[in-house]
Amino acid sequence: MANENIVIVINHAEIGQQLEQAVLRPAGYQATFIAERQPAEDLIRSNPPDLVIISDQLIDGDGLALVEQLMGSFPNLPFILFTSSYNPDLAVKALRMGFADYFYAPFSPGDAIAAIKHGLERRRRMEQWSRLEARRNTKNLQKRVDGLEALQRIGRSVTALLDLETVLTAVVDAAVELTGAEEGSLLLLDESSGELYMRAARNFQEDFVRTFRLPIRDTLAGQVLRTGKPITFDEKTPQKIKTAYLVHTLIYVPLQVHGRVIGVLGVDNRHTGHPFLEDHLTLVSALADYAAIAIDNARLYSRTEIERKKLETVLTHVEDGVIVVDYDGRLLLANDALRAAFGLVEDNLVGKPVRDIIQNVELLEILSDDKGMHPFRSEITLEDGRVFNAQMTPIPDVGLAVTMQDITHLKELDRIKSDFVSTVSHDLRSPLTAILGYVELIDRAGPVTDQQREFIRRVQFSVNNITALINDLLDLGRIEAGFDARKEIVPLPAIINYAVEGMRSRIEEKAHNVVLDVPDHLPPILGNPVRLRQLMGNLLGNSIKYTLHHGKITVSAQAEEGQIILRISDNGPGIPPSDQPYIFDKFYRASNVPSDTPGTGLGLAIVKSIVDNHQGRIWVDSTLGQGTTFTVVLPVADEDL
Ligand code: ADP
């Protein structure tokens, strides 16, 4: 071997050179002699040798003091003390400091070589020990890394896998492998019997696992379940767990879900006394947390799944058609009723564009999102004549849902009722005309008393009211039946002026101030002039009728983006918010109308029908005690006409 690098730091140049040249080099060592302290220190620090021979006195300092400093930086470097004469006290001091050996002048080459060999041997042993120690530490670290990796792996599987069986088995496997235990088990509480059963196990007999039942009372696992605290014990405290078997060492940790203990994860050694460490408890606890999360996830998932199935069954079997599409118009759900209505037979329609599946223009129109995200209602007529009431509802973060009820029978009833009302109204008109005629003749047949005259006036008033009602009903029947299909170009200002002039006497009677804000050059509309006059008359008539004396009524019109916007406002009593949705229904009168106010509740129904016939829209804005504004939007006539 030899060839080791040795630095000699001795104040006697002669002895130093002799050692270097005559003793060390011939023995095969690389030797360097330096007499001064500082260059010696620099050399040792920059290029650490395998051994240093140093004298207590240096030309420029204390050898022992230098060694003390160097030992801090190079704990494995052996130092050999050389003194110019035998000095046992100094030798003892040096050996206590940690010097490897000692020799003094005069010396034989054998003395020096023996000391060097001894020093190098010590160095070799220390290095070997360091290597072993490093290997041992690395092994420990590796074990920890393995543990962390296993935890990470299981953590990922908890979030990725919904199969509880796989996750729990992986948890028990990892607990056994990371702790080096003989066996492991995951016990869960059976709420109904109050006992623990084995949900997953490693290295237990299958029969044992299947039949395993452990009471909570007087058992260690039961204690963990009750207290929520882990239990560990080693060979010094062997105990009988449950009544079945004896273990030498064991770890039991609780499985907690939202603060409630639902089970126990355990590892044990039945045959050997292999001890469990603090680290093992931490690992098994972390694994127990994962198992608890997996069990909770599975519980939530199965609950959600049950709810989803319930909802799906309800949706599938309800008689109303239901269709849901996402924001891109792709089908998310179509229930049986809807499939039947539109003849959808294919199974895998989910995800397909609804336009490729359904041809019905009215439904596609409802499902197209250009109406904005507001719920609205419409009617859909199928090819076979069935009519559906379709309600569109936007569902945040999902898309649009449309529910459809079959109202064919209601439509039919409505038609029969309208026919009946028209026939009866028609038949009533002639007798009523006859009554009015004869009542007028009474006066001429002879003198009548004042009381009789009052009675005649009341009869005339009532018959006039009935006639007005019948006229309204007949009008409504005609408009709804589409008898007024013939349309012509109509200038709106003329219609408005006609209506206002026609009511001049009623306006003056109540001393209302009517303001017109209607430009002369409004674009014309395509419509039925008689019906448009009726529309204007009904709205203006209501304002005059419901607003108390000295009211202010404003009629305004303006053109905007191919539409005419007509507004009739008053500062009358207003309409209660709860009545507003119904005022366009037939015979509906708001709750704040005094009982002696004449009216049939048909005026606005007629207005609504006229607006619908003209492809327009109407709505009301009203505040109680402040006034009411009706807004009518009608399309401008096509310029080519
Ligand atoms: P009516 O024959 O009762 O006037 P309408 O169909 O014309 O029937 O109107 C329905 C109801 O709407 C009225 O009964 C009234 O309650 C309310 N209404 C209509 N216009 C006005 C208005 N300008 N001011 C207050 N309430 C109104």
Side-chain angles (χ1 to χ4, degrees):
M1 46 168 285
N3 204 24
E4 277 96 345
N5 186 3
I6 296 172
V7 172
I8 305 155
V9 195
I10 292 180
N11 53 350
H12 287 285
E14 208 177 307
I15 299 178
Q17 274 155 10
Q18 188 197 347
L19 255 175
E20 181 194 57
Q21 315 273 346
V23 181
L24 298 190
R25 291 219 169 141
Y29 298 106
Q30 292 181 25
T32 313
F33 164 65
I34 302 176
E36 285 157 32
R37 180 198 149 120
Q38 197 53 50
E41 181 174 354
D42 291 347
L43 176 71
I44 293 169
R45 285 195 185 280
S46 63
N47 187 16
D50 296 308
L51 185 138
V52 176
I53 298 171
I54 190 163
S55 58
D56 58 323
Q57 303 278 323
L58 301 179
I59 297 175
D60 53 351
D62 179 352
L64 263 57
L66 172 61
V67 168
E68 197 158 32
Q69 280 178 13
L70 288 173
M71 274 179 171
S73 313
F74 306 98
N76 284 351
L77 179 59
F79 292 91
I80 292 174
L81 178 67
F82 169 80
T83 51
S84 50
S85 58
Y86 179 57
N87 187 342
D89 289 346
L90 195 62
V92 168
K93 185 179 172 194
L95 291 175
R96 281 194 186 139
M97 257 178 74
F99 274 73
D101 212 323
Y102 166 63
F103 68 100
Y104 56 92
F107 60 91
S108 68
D111 291 342
I113 297 293
I116 287 168
K117 281 202 166 143
H118 177 223
L120 288 173
E121 174 59 20
R122 179 163 135 171
R123 175 192 173 89
R124 197 185 56 74
R125 277 204 308 272
M126 280 180 70
E127 277 176 352
Q128 196 177 16
W129 177 84
S130 298
R131 266 197 301 278
L132 282 176
E133 191 61 9
R135 217 174 291 156
R136 203 169 56 82
N137 281 336
T138 315
K139 218 168 156 188
N140 275 344
L141 274 176
Q142 189 58 44
K143 263 192 182 166
R144 285 180 163 225
V145 171
D146 288 349
L148 288 174
E149 276 176 358
L151 280 181
Q152 203 185 20
R153 205 175 49 241
I154 290 180
R156 269 201 303 272
S157 71
V158 166
T159 44
L161 293 176
L162 282 170
D163 176 13
L164 192 56
E165 199 66 43
T166 315
V167 177
L168 296 186
T169 307
V171 164
V172 176
D173 283 350
V176 168
E177 271 153 32
L178 295 177
T179 57
E182 289 170 24
E183 50 193 24
S185 58
L186 194 143
L187 313 178
L188 288 185
L189 178 67
D190 177 351
E191 303 270 0
S192 56
S193 67
E195 289 175 325
L196 287 162
Y197 65 98
M198 222 175 253
R199 183 69 175 77
R202 166 83 173 257
N203 298 344
F204 280 97
Q205 296 265 323
E206 225 175 88
D207 276 0
F208 181 84
V209 173
R210 210 165 350 99
T211 54
F212 181 91
R213 286 275 155 185
L214 190 67
I216 297 172
R217 279 176 52 149
D218 302 329
T219 59
L220 276 178
Q223 183 184 325
V224 174
L225 197 91
R226 275 180 282 125
T227 60
K229 297 217 162 60
I231 289 180
T232 53
F233 65 71
D234 57 26
E235 213 173 4
K236 281 171 236 141
T237 53
Q239 295 189 33
K240 221 174 183 203
I241 305 173
K242 162 192 172 242
T243 48
Y245 60 95
L246 197 69
V247 298
H248 290 280
T249 54
L250 161 147
I251 295 180
Y252 267 172
V253 298
L255 255 62
Q256 311 215 26
V257 170
H258 307 303
R260 203 167 55 87
V261 187
I262 57 160
V264 176
L265 175 64
V267 285
D268 62 68
N269 290 301
R270 229 189 305 178
H271 304 295
T272 66
H274 171 70
F276 289 124
L277 311 171
E278 190 68 14
D279 270 3
H280 292 151
L281 177 63
T282 316
L283 275 174
V284 179
S285 298
L287 288 167
D289 287 345
Y290 279 138
I293 293 170
I295 291 168
D296 200 35
N297 278 355
R299 189 181 54 82
L300 289 175
Y301 177 76
S302 79
R303 199 198 283 171
T304 322
E305 191 58 16
I306 290 171
E307 288 300 319
R308 196 187 67 78
K309 287 237 166 74
K310 244 196 258 171
L311 219 71
E312 196 177 278
T313 315
V314 171
L315 273 178
T316 309
H317 292 99
V318 285
E319 283 191 14
D320 293 348
V322 180
I323 182 168
V324 184
V325 299
D326 65 14
Y327 293 109
D328 298 328
R330 292 176 188 280
L331 185 77
L332 294 177
L333 185 151
N335 73 346
D336 287 356
L338 189 118
R339 283 166 174 270
F342 292 98
L344 309 180
V345 281
E346 215 183 300
D347 270 343
N348 298 324
L349 292 175
V350 171
K352 293 196 175 158
V354 74
R355 294 195 167 273
D356 298 352
I357 305 168
I358 287 170
Q359 271 75 49
N360 185 288
V361 182
E362 289 163 314
L363 180 57
L364 290 178
E365 169 97 336
I366 296 172
L367 288 171
S368 68
D369 62 355
D370 55 0
K371 306 227 165 21
M373 296 308 275
H374 299 292
F376 80 95
R377 207 192 66 74
S378 175
E379 280 180 11
I380 293 177
T381 311
L382 300 189
E383 276 175 10
D384 59 10
R386 277 187 295 162
V387 184
F388 284 87
N389 173 34
Q391 171 71 46
M392 188 282 268
T393 316
I395 305 177
D397 300 329
V398 176
L400 305 176
V402 175
T403 51
M404 293 178 23
Q405 297 97 29
D406 190 340
I407 53 165
T408 316
H409 62 294
L410 292 177
K411 284 301 241 193
E412 184 56 15
L413 278 178
D414 197 44
R415 194 190 56 75
I416 295 169
K417 188 203 70 189
S418 299
D419 285 357
F420 171 77
V421 170
S422 296
T423 315
V424 172
S425 312
H426 206 263
D427 291 352
L428 275 175
R429 256 221 307 219
S430 318
L432 282 173
T433 317
I435 292 171
L436 268 187
Y438 284 113
V439 167
E440 269 166 25
L441 285 178
I442 292 176
D443 225 359
R444 297 189 206 161
V448 289
T449 64
D450 283 352
Q451 198 183 22
Q452 284 168 333
R453 180 159 293 110
E454 174 58 18
F455 290 165
I456 290 170
R457 199 192 61 74
R458 287 197 198 174
V459 169
Q460 282 174 324
F461 181 77
S462 296
V463 173
N464 277 332
N465 272 353
I466 299 173
T467 312
L469 170 65
I470 286 171
N471 285 339
D472 277 355
L473 280 173
L474 286 173
D475 273 351
L476 199 54
R478 267 198 290 272
I479 297 165
E480 282 182 345
F483 289 160
D484 303 316
R486 212 178 54 80
K487 303 234 167 72
E488 56 191 78
I489 295 290
V490 183
L492 206 58
I495 299 279
I496 295 171
N497 286 332
Y498 180 89
V500 174
E501 286 319 311
M503 298 194 180
R504 186 56 71 193
S505 62
R506 285 172 62 192
I507 294 170
E508 278 164 11
E509 199 181 303
K510 292 189 82 172
H512 286 321
N513 172 19
V514 176
V515 180
L516 292 187
D517 177 12
V518 182
D520 290 336
H521 51 269
L522 268 186
I525 53 178
L526 185 68
N528 183 306
V530 178
R531 293 302 171 208
L532 289 172
R533 252 178 247 141
Q534 194 173 10
L535 172 149
M536 198 53 223
N538 284 2
L539 292 175
L540 189 60
N542 277 349
S543 286
I544 297 169
K545 179 167 64 172
Y546 292 110
T547 308
L548 295 177
H549 285 71
H550 304 285
K552 182 175 178 193
I553 298 167
T554 310
V555 180
S556 73
Q558 73 199 71
E560 212 179 277
E561 293 175 6
Q563 296 177 320
I564 300 239
I565 299 164
L566 173 67
R567 285 197 183 85
I568 296 101
S569 312
D570 61 53
N571 60 353
I575 304 168
S578 57
D579 288 321
Q580 288 179 21
Y582 310 108
I583 53 166
F584 295 103
D585 292 353
K586 288 171 203 161
F587 301 109
Y588 194 89
R589 307 196 75 194
S591 49
N592 63 337
V593 173
S595 57
D596 59 349
T597 312
T600 60
L602 284 173
L604 287 182
I606 292 173
V607 168
K608 174 82 169 64
S609 293
I610 296 172
V611 171
D612 286 348
N613 268 358
H614 286 79
Q615 286 75 49
R617 282 183 296 138
I618 180 167
W619 66 90
V620 66
D621 297 292
S622 183
T623 309
L624 265 187
Q626 289 188 17
T628 303
T629 299
F630 282 93
T631 307
V632 180
V633 179
L634 295 168
V636 166
D638 197 330
E639 270 179 28
D640 296 345
L641 294 167

